[in-house]
Amino acid sequence: MTGMSANENRPMTVSEKIFSKASGSPVKAGDFVLANIDLAMTHDITGPLAVKGFYEIMKDREEKKVWDPTKIVIVFDHQVPADSINATANHIMLREFAEEQGILNYDVYEGVCHQVLPEKGHVLPGDLIVGSDSHTCAYGALGAFSTGIGSTDMAAVFATGKLWFRVPETFRFEVEGSLPERVYSKDLILHLIGDVGVEGVRYMAAEFGGSTIRSLSIPERMTMSNMAIEMGGKAGIIEADEVTADYLKERILYYEFDPYWKSDEGAEYVGVRHYDVSDLEPQVACPHNVDNVKPVTEVEGTKLDQIFVGSCTNGRFEDIKIMADIMGDEPVAKGVRLIVVPASRTEYIKLLKAGYIEKLINAGAIVEFPCCGPCMGGSFGLLGAGEVGLATSNRNFKGREGSPESFVYLSSPATAGASALTGEITDPRKV
């Protein structure tokens, strides 16, 4: 949908344009708006509470129907296959709700929500998307304003299709230069988080732009937008361009790219930071905060018990290929557990057909079917007391991936692959 014609004399950020469309009139940062939601997503952890809240809202109405079943998607990904009796009860409840309401439900075999929705064509530039998961900001990689909300807010969305927002200010990250060899978008986003801190863009739209960002593929952009929440962002948005259009044309029939969904020249930002990444080193986030970021050369040699490659941040075909290619035909280092979890069934099959699944298993890796397991310290892959893990996921809080007495470092798939060969954190440029 092309943007608003009113107030066209005032340059707008892409986020302001999206909220103008969603509220039906021109808005600016700081305005409070009741916005129409284009897409709502919930999953098997947060969904049950949203469903209970929905029925509470609708208890006095004769017809208890969601506002628009075609604009709601349920994904089973966190506790899949069900790892407890409580999980089975949640799954049953959500399946029944989806059937009753006519809602699309991606069951346990499909993959992680933040990979599944874009790859299935549910995300479009200019959309306002909410999900009852903090990393819903990942969809901003396609030019949508996408943000996480609580389950009770989701209940209200189910009932009305609307939600109150304060239109956020925008903080612009202008990134120039070519990423050096074996330095990737994960290293870049860790560097930015380390620079501004975990509250650096609190309740702002983190807008990523510049020649470096424009050169990134959609999978690389997803990594960037996914972690905007780790700097406090309400959303992490990358302006749609021809790269976005090419990705969407593979998924959506008759898709026509609308160049409107960009920030105008002269749009007002609360802050702008400029970066040249030509000399950027591989980055590692150290325990127990995502903004505790250091160049890999400062933490080389840290002994590891486990390496996890996957998650909605870095579980795509391209990520796992990077790791596997660095490992070559060498085995996983003795004493290290390498757990690999592709982000979706589609990505898993691509890896399978390309021979990477067999290659990794032969090297000593454990390859699991798509889910959120190790990332959330869920059904498998937990770290024990005193153990040290390296992960390509998005959070390293105390107890995030197992025991509160364990230690989690975050890195790119390249660093993970190099480290899998040595059993310690290793600079991928040296392998």
Side-chain angles (χ1 to χ4, degrees):
M1 177 177 177
T2 304
M4 311 296 297
S5 59
N7 207 22
E8 58 188 12
N9 292 329
R10 184 181 68 82
M12 303 174 78
T13 65
V14 63
S15 297
E16 289 173 323
K17 289 182 179 182
I18 292 171
F19 276 104
S20 294
K21 183 203 75 170
S23 62
S25 61
V27 302
K28 63 182 184 303
D31 289 348
F32 289 88
V33 299
L34 183 61
N36 294 301
I37 302 302
D38 291 303
L39 181 70
M41 183 280 299
T42 195
H43 56 61
D44 54 308
I45 291 284
T46 57
L49 182 58
V51 171
K52 290 176 182 176
F54 165 76
Y55 284 123
E56 181 65 23
I57 292 170
M58 307 295 282
K59 64 182 179 181
D60 295 326
R61 300 188 190 182
E62 185 174 340
E63 187 176 61
K64 298 173 173 56
K65 294 293 185 181
V66 297
W67 106 95
D68 187 342
T70 67
K71 294 185 177 182
I72 302 172
V73 179
I74 298 173
V75 186
F76 290 18
D77 60 359
H78 277 61
Q79 291 179 286
V80 299
D83 59 2
S84 68
I85 300 301
N86 285 338
T88 64
N90 286 338
H91 290 186
I92 291 168
M93 173 195 190
L94 288 175
R95 289 187 186 110
E96 290 176 346
F97 179 69
E99 173 118 10
E100 170 197 302
Q101 299 287 337
I103 293 170
L104 178 61
N105 174 32
Y106 290 112
D107 215 308
V108 297
Y109 48 78
E110 202 64 70
V112 180
C113 56
H114 305 315
Q115 175 64 26
V116 171
L117 263 63
E119 78 178 20
K120 298 292 187 182
H122 293 289
V123 178
L124 291 174
D127 279 357
L128 177 59
I129 301 175
V130 293
S132 52
D133 184 282
S134 59
H135 290 104
T136 300
C137 51
Y139 313 144
L142 297 175
F145 189 98
S146 188
T147 193
I149 62 173
S151 295
T152 48
D153 282 340
M154 185 59 73
V157 172
F158 283 177
T160 68
K162 302 176 185 293
L163 198 62
W164 283 99
F165 291 88
R166 178 183 176 276
V167 180
E169 288 82 8
T170 296
F171 194 104
R172 173 92 174 182
F173 294 87
E174 194 74 24
V175 188
E176 305 291 342
S178 299
L179 290 169
E181 187 177 1
R182 292 193 173 175
V183 177
Y184 298 92
S185 65
K186 179 61 166 290
D187 300 297
L188 173 55
I189 190 61
L190 287 177
H191 178 64
L192 300 185
I193 294 168
D195 186 43
V196 301
V198 292
E199 294 191 1
V201 296
R202 185 171 59 183
Y203 204 92
M204 301 176 200
E207 186 176 296
F208 305 111
S211 61
T212 308
I213 304 301
R214 290 192 296 272
S215 71
L216 298 178
S217 67
I218 293 299
E220 292 172 305
R221 295 180 188 191
M222 287 183 183
T223 299
M224 298 287 298
S225 293
N226 179 276
M227 293 191 69
I229 186 67
E230 311 307 338
M231 56 174 71
K234 185 72 172 173
I237 194 163
I238 296 173
E239 297 162 315
D241 57 15
E242 291 304 326
V243 175
T244 319
D246 289 343
Y247 179 87
L248 290 171
K249 285 173 183 174
E250 295 178 4
R251 292 160 173 80
I252 300 172
L253 200 60
Y254 309 126
Y255 174 73
E256 289 188 20
F257 176 56
D258 185 351
Y260 176 76
W261 300 114
K262 295 179 181 291
S263 292
D264 296 328
E265 186 175 347
E268 185 176 338
Y269 297 102
V270 72
V272 180
R273 290 203 184 184
H274 296 268
Y275 299 85
D276 186 330
V277 297
S278 302
D279 297 320
L280 185 66
E281 292 185 45
Q283 304 286 296
V284 176
C286 303
H288 295 284
N289 290 298
V290 186
D291 64 347
N292 185 16
V293 178
K294 299 178 182 179
V296 68
T297 49
E298 293 187 19
V299 292
E300 278 186 292
T302 302
K303 296 291 185 183
L304 299 171
D305 297 290
Q306 178 173 293
I307 298 170
F308 162 52
V309 177
S311 84
C312 58
T313 313
N314 281 119
R316 286 166 278 280
F317 173 87
E318 293 83 353
D319 299 314
I320 296 169
K321 179 181 185 300
I322 287 168
M323 176 205 66
D325 287 346
I326 284 177
M327 291 180 65
D329 295 323
E330 298 299 314
V332 177
K334 186 176 181 180
V336 179
R337 309 182 297 273
L338 173 60
I339 300 174
V340 180
V341 187
S344 72
R345 179 174 60 162
T346 299
E347 300 300 284
Y348 189 104
I349 291 172
K350 285 160 64 176
L351 289 160
L352 187 66
K353 289 181 176 179
Y356 285 108
I357 301 293
E358 181 179 2
K359 181 178 180 180
L360 288 166
I361 291 173
N362 287 336
I366 302 166
V367 182
E368 294 283 352
F369 201 73
C371 69
C372 297
C375 178
M376 59 171 283
S379 53
F380 61 91
L382 278 66
L383 292 167
E387 288 196 308
V388 179
L390 179 68
T392 66
S393 52
N394 42 48
R395 287 183 175 153
N396 63 345
F397 306 149
K398 186 173 288 190
R400 167 74 179 185
E401 295 187 8
S403 169
E405 296 175 31
S406 63
F407 303 86
V408 178
Y409 293 79
L410 304 177
S411 78
S412 74
T415 300
S419 303
L421 297 176
T422 62
E424 58 189 37
I425 295 178
T426 300
D427 188 337
R429 298 169 301 179
K430 296 181 180 179
V431 174

